[in-house]
Every structure is written in C-alpha cells, then in structure tokens.
Amino acid sequence: MFPKILAAYNLNTDDCTIAPFGSGLINHTWKIRCNDEQYILQCINIAVFKSPQAIADNLLALQKYLHATTPGYLFPTPLSTSDNTYLVIDDGRYYRLLPFVKNSHSVDVATEPSQAFEAARQFGKFSRLLNDFDASQLKYTLPDFHNLSLRAQQFQSALKHADQERLNIASTEIEAIKNYQDITQTYVDITKNATIPLRVIHHDTKINNVLFDADDKGLCVIDLDTVMPGYYISDAGDMMRTYLSPANEEEQELDKVCIREDYLKAIHDGYMSEMRDVLTPAEKALFYYSGKFMIYMQAMRFLTDYLNNDIYYHTTYPGQNLKRAQNQLRLLSELMKTYQRLGVDTQ
Ligand code: ADP
Ligand code: GN1
Ligand code: MG
C-alpha cells in the first residue's frame, strides 16, 4: 500500500504496517509503523479543501512563528519529503505524513471533566500563543467555514431544491431550525462589532483533536486543516457541542443526549486559564452564546446535507444526516434548558 507516497519520505512499504485510524468525517487517516517509527498518513479530501497547499503554507508559517516565540511547544505538522514539499500527489490525491506523537492517545468522548478542562486549556493555549501573530497572514483554507449567515443561506437554498419526500420527512426539524433564527442575528451583530476581533482559531475543537498523555494531561492540538482567522466562539462553542453530552452527534437514542454541567464549568475554566487576559470584555460576554452558535450551525449543516441528498458528510446508513440534525437540535434544546436553570443570559 502507498509505495510511491512512502518512497517520497524515504520509507519502504515492505518495512511498514498500515492500518486505518481515527474517526474523522472528512479526510482519510492511517497509522503507519515503519521499523521503530510511527507516523500518521492522511489523504486530504480535496472536494472540501480545495487547496491543500494553502493548508501546508499556513502550517509552515505558524510552525516558524511558534518555533521562534515558544521553543518546545508541541505542534505536529506534516513532514517534508525528499523534494522539500509537504504534500505528495498520487493519482490526483493529496497525501501528507506526520510524525505520530509518542505515548499519546486521543479520546472520542470525554468521560471526565478533567479531560474537558485539559482539552479546553490546549485550545486556549494555542490561540494565546498566537495572539501576536497577524491572523490576516493566514490563508482561508475553507472560506466562510463558520459564517452562520452563509450557512443559513445554504439551508434556504437546500429547501428550494430538495426532493419533496425529504422535505416531508424532515418537516419538524426544518421548522425547528427556522425557529432559532435569532442565533443567526446575534452572529450578524458580532461581525459588525469592532471589539470582537478575528483571531487564529482552530475551528474543529472536538475532543479527538487533542492528544493526551498516559495521565490524561493534554499534550497538544492536532487536525490543523481549519486553522485560519475566525472568532473565538467557534472554538469555545465546538467544545460545548462535543464535550457537554456523554452521547455524541452519532447517538441515535436521543434521550441519551444531555448536558453535563460540570463539563461546562471545566470547558470555561480550562479555556479561560489561558485566554482570560487575552479576550476583550465583549468576547467574554459571548462565552455561553458560543455553544448555541456552534450547535445550531452543526444542526443546520447536517440538515442541509440531508436535504442535498448527503453529498458532504460521510454516512453509513440512510437518514444518518437527519438523525445527526435531530441529535444536535436535542442538544441545543437541552443547553437552552440548562442556561435557563443557571440563569445564564446569552443575548
Ligand atoms: P481526521 O479527524 O480528519 O480524521 P485527525 O488529524 O484528527 O484527522 O487524525 C485522526 C486521529 O489520528 C486523531 O484523533 C488522533 O487519534 C490521531 N492522530 C492524528 N495526528 C496524530 C499525531 N501527530 N500523533 C498521534 N496521533 C495522531
Ligand atoms: C467535520 O473532519 P472532522 O470529522 O473532524 C467537519 C466539522 C464538523 C464535524 C462534525 C471540514 O469534521 O466542521 O463539525 O465534521 N469538518 C469540515 O463531526 O467540514
Ligand atoms: Mg480529527
């Protein structure tokens, strides 16, 4: 498997074992062992990431900056080939190889608040260390990725073009999405507020995008394709979306989707332990809104994909994107209830 790609890194496929790895929905990932070394091989989904080179350029710029300003900071980026490139193209597919961080592991679901704290601390640290890096130097690897206004337009367009059958099946969820329109309005206000800056943001802060050591202490953040300028609510919100419930977005038994309040505190405390002195008061005021923002956007994206006949997210059973949208809508409604109980004002 992959002889040409491995050869570009001076590795011989006969010396290597290769196995699929991870649970991402976009790229393909394999773990490779060659002699005593371990690597992560990834095939970038170019239907989604139109310019793999833009990702490589961003990572190189950040790596140089971090190396100069914070020596020793663990930042696993692609290895260079014998031709001094960071990508190998084979049969129209783009591959990259990363060193596997030794003695590390990831988790798919947080099972202790301390894991949420550690992950949030790692994402906060990443943005803090890059606070003085000029975010506008970065390329937009996915333009408008978390632009909720655009996501709302894409949803509207899907409604226009969807099959009648899918529109009927999803009518309850479509109504639910429409009823939460104020979340999009708050986002529009944010984009007009000069005290809410664009920062270097990760944009995919799922718990399995953090590596942990054997004691479950956070080591570093990974899965850096979507690192680009953005609002901090993307990172804070995606942590809430993915750490608060013991059941993740794939859960089909919706009664298992609920909010663990101690994890909400852990995300806040972990993130703020790094970002408290960096964020503006206007940004801090958006902390709880961020959960609504990201959960709502993900519900909308899954439902849009369902209406578009499942062209974006990888699925393994019919109706999976609708089920995912239902799951995220349940999570959103549970979060609202929690906020009400806690007296949290999310504007
Ligand atoms: P995706 O989520 O797009 O499939 P990731 O970059 O998150 O891809 O990689 C998938 C999984 O592979 C991660 O959750 C993690 O377990 C593991 N992984 C990725 N990069 C490394 C690395 N450099 N060292 C160790 N494990 C890694
Ligand atoms: C995708 O690649 P992966 O699985 O980490 C998606 C995220 C969604 C997530 C939902 C580029 O992330 O935005 O939150 O699925 N990434 C892209 O699981 O669309
Ligand atoms: Mg990942």
Side-chain angles (χ1 to χ4, degrees):
M1 239 174 141
F2 307 122
K4 183 174 159 196
I5 293 143
L6 294 182
Y9 298 92
N10 293 323
L11 296 171
N12 184 340
T13 183
D14 293 340
D15 302 331
C16 305
T17 59
I18 305 173
F21 202 67
S23 50
L25 297 185
I26 305 294
N27 296 328
H28 281 104
T29 303
W30 296 265
K31 184 172 178 181
I32 301 201
R33 284 168 199 271
C34 302
N35 306 316
D36 288 336
E37 293 299 325
Q38 298 182 69
Y39 305 90
I40 288 286
L41 176 70
Q42 288 184 317
C43 178
I44 301 171
N45 181 333
I46 52 171
V48 173
F49 295 102
K50 307 273 191 269
S51 172
Q53 192 58 49
I55 300 173
D57 293 346
N58 280 354
L59 296 186
L60 198 60
L62 293 174
Q63 189 185 38
K64 275 192 190 148
Y65 178 88
L66 288 166
H67 189 71
T69 53
T70 317
Y73 177 68
L74 188 55
F75 189 61
T77 50
L79 294 164
S80 83
T81 65
S82 42
D83 294 339
N84 280 322
T85 63
Y86 294 88
L87 290 165
V88 181
I89 307 169
D90 185 27
D91 203 13
R93 295 199 172 87
Y94 287 71
Y95 294 86
R96 63 185 168 206
L97 193 72
L98 293 95
F100 188 94
V101 174
K102 289 203 174 77
N103 303 317
S104 74
H105 68 278
S106 61
V107 297
D108 284 331
V109 177
T111 50
E112 294 291 339
S114 57
Q115 292 170 330
F117 178 93
E118 286 293 316
R121 196 162 69 88
Q122 286 303 322
F123 287 114
K125 183 176 179 184
F126 174 69
S127 284
R128 176 178 66 76
L129 293 179
L130 293 165
N131 190 37
D132 291 332
F133 179 93
D134 175 10
S136 69
Q137 278 183 38
L138 293 178
K139 297 176 179 162
Y140 282 86
T141 55
L142 274 178
D144 289 313
F145 185 40
H146 284 180
N147 178 343
L148 185 55
S149 312
L150 183 86
R151 297 296 181 191
Q153 283 167 28
Q154 291 170 337
F155 171 65
Q156 291 299 336
S157 155
L159 285 178
K160 275 200 200 109
H161 298 108
D163 302 340
Q164 193 56 48
E165 193 192 352
R166 287 199 179 212
L167 286 170
N168 292 344
I169 295 173
S171 59
T172 309
E173 291 72 27
I174 291 169
E175 275 315 299
I177 291 288
K178 287 181 179 169
N179 286 337
Y180 282 119
Q181 270 168 5
D182 60 310
I183 300 180
T184 309
Q185 188 49 51
T186 302
Y187 171 77
V188 173
D189 297 342
I190 289 170
T191 63
K192 293 180 184 152
N193 186 335
T195 67
I196 301 173
L198 289 169
R199 303 182 171 282
V200 180
I201 293 301
H202 185 283
H203 286 108
D204 192 2
T205 56
K206 289 197 262 198
I207 200 118
N208 59 17
N209 287 333
V210 172
L211 295 181
F212 292 92
D213 71 11
D215 298 322
D216 264 0
K217 292 276 175 249
L219 283 171
C220 62
V221 301
I222 55 166
D223 207 348
L224 304 166
D225 302 326
T226 49
V227 170
M228 57 186 157
Y231 297 115
Y232 103 97
I233 54 169
S234 284
D235 283 2
D238 208 38
M239 291 192 266
M240 294 188 203
R241 188 181 79 78
T242 56
Y243 312 170
L244 291 181
S245 170
N248 74 10
E249 67 192 14
E250 299 296 351
E251 181 60 58
Q252 298 181 51
E253 265 185 62
L254 298 189
D255 286 344
K256 291 189 178 162
V257 175
C258 59
I259 301 292
R260 301 178 291 188
E261 283 174 25
D262 45 348
Y263 285 67
L264 184 58
K265 179 171 170 17
I267 295 169
H268 177 272
D269 293 355
Y271 195 76
M272 292 304 171
S273 72
E274 295 287 342
M275 289 293 278
R276 186 167 285 119
D277 297 336
V278 173
L279 298 176
T280 65
E283 286 178 296
K284 281 186 193 160
L286 291 170
F287 181 76
Y288 292 103
Y289 166 76
S290 74
K292 296 196 324 188
F293 166 70
M294 282 305 298
I295 298 168
Y296 179 57
M297 180 156 53
Q298 195 60 58
M300 193 186 262
R301 290 177 67 196
F302 282 142
L303 189 57
T304 301
D305 199 34
Y306 175 74
L307 296 171
N308 288 339
N309 293 331
D310 310 313
I311 50 175
Y312 187 84
Y313 291 109
H314 176 66
T315 56
T316 52
Y317 65 87
Q320 187 167 7
N321 277 316
L322 178 60
K323 194 44 98 180
R324 287 168 172 158
Q326 289 165 349
N327 170 308
Q328 295 292 285
L329 283 166
R330 173 65 76 93
L331 184 63
L332 182 55
S333 122
E334 292 297 314
L335 185 65
M336 301 289 213
K337 282 192 222 156
T338 303
Y339 284 173
Q340 237 169 16
R341 202 170 43 250
L342 298 177
V344 167
D345 176 15
T346 59
Q347 51 203 307

